[in-house]
């Protein structure tokens, strides 16, 4: 019996290390090769911080640095704007779905929310292209491929994930605390601000983090909705792949990874502080 437990513990430990290796070894490789002296490719020719210095070089003398900065700014703008909108709308949608709707209506609402989360990206992108084509005939120039259409496209699938996370939290909380607040004559606004919102805060932050990550990683929907001046990092890497990925892309990717990691730590600390 003890031998069986020991073997099971060893197997689970090995599986855990293997899973973490699959998750983090590619990120570690990107960080390592960002210090490669070679301009292109994966052949290690020596250690250099040149590519990090080039990212902050004078754009008048280094056109490449200006391009990468614009790509990074577009990526962060798209992720930040779509995350903010999707978090607000997704939270409101979760609160609306939590009302005591009839069972048939509740099932329809759940299906509507689930579809964007499980639909293939290519199908969703094609639908967005068709929708923007129709809207351009009604409202000229407003829905041309640009950062605006990219934000709309990202919001449409991010809302589903935020809603699912926040609604799961609402179900876990249950009606007990809400009923206690109403028994103490709390107004609807006080009830929401002092009871519901603090309890939902971890789920809202979690949904926002997931939405931001999905936006940073997205390629298909960005590819179908982007314009000539709204290229993001995934699109830029794809375009560079034809000529061989340059090392400065590893550098900017590493900086974005560090920024996201720091943001996650800060948000986690903020969530714990508000929860306590």
């Amino acid at each position: 019996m003890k031998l069986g437990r020991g073997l099971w513990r060893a197997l689970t430990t090995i599986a855990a290390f293997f899973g973490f290796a699959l998750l983090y070894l590619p990120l570690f490789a990107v960080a390592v090769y960002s210090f490669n002296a070679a301009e292109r490719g994966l052949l290690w020719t020596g250690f250099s911080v040149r590519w990090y210095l080039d990212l902050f070089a004078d754009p008048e003398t280094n056109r490449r640095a200006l391009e990468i900065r614009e790509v990074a700014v577009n990526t962060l703008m798209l992720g930040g704007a779509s995350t903010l909108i999707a978090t607000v709308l997704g939270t409101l949608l979760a609160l609306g779905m939590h009302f005591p709707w009839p069972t048939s209506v509740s099932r329809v609402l759940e299906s509507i929310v689930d579809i964007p989360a499980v639909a293939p990206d290519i199908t969703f992108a094609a639908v967005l292209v068709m929708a923007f084509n129709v809207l351009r005939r009604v409202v000229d120039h407003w829905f041309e491929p640009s950062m605006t259409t990219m934000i709309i496209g990202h919001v449409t699938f991010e809302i589903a994930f935020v809603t699912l996370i926040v609604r799961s939290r609402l179900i876990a909380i249950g009606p007990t605390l809400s009923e206690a607040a109403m028994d103490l004559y709390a107004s609807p606004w006080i009830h929401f601000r002092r009871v519901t919102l603090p309890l939902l805060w971890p789920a809202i932050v979690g949904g926002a983090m997931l939405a931001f990550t999905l936006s940073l990683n997205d390629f298909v929907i960005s590819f179908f909705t982007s314009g000539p001046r709204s290229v993001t990092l995934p699109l830029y890497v794809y375009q560079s792949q034809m000529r061989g990925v340059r090392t400065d892309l590893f550098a900017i990717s590493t900086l974005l990874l560090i920024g996201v990691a720091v943001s996650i730590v800060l948000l986690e600390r903020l969530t714990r502080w508000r929860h306590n």
Side-chain angles (χ1 to χ4, degrees), residues 120-133:
D121 284 350
I122 188 64
T123 303
F124 209 72
V127 172
L128 285 172
V129 171
M130 295 173 59
F132 289 141
N133 286 335

Side-chain angles (χ1 to χ4, degrees), residues 2 12 37 58 63 82 119 121 147 153 165-166 187 222 233 237 268:
K2 292 183 178 180
T12 54
D58 186 357
R63 184 67 182 176
S82 62
D121 284 350
M147 180 61 70
I165 293 175
V166 175
S187 65
S222 298
L233 186 60
V237 172
E268 184 180 1

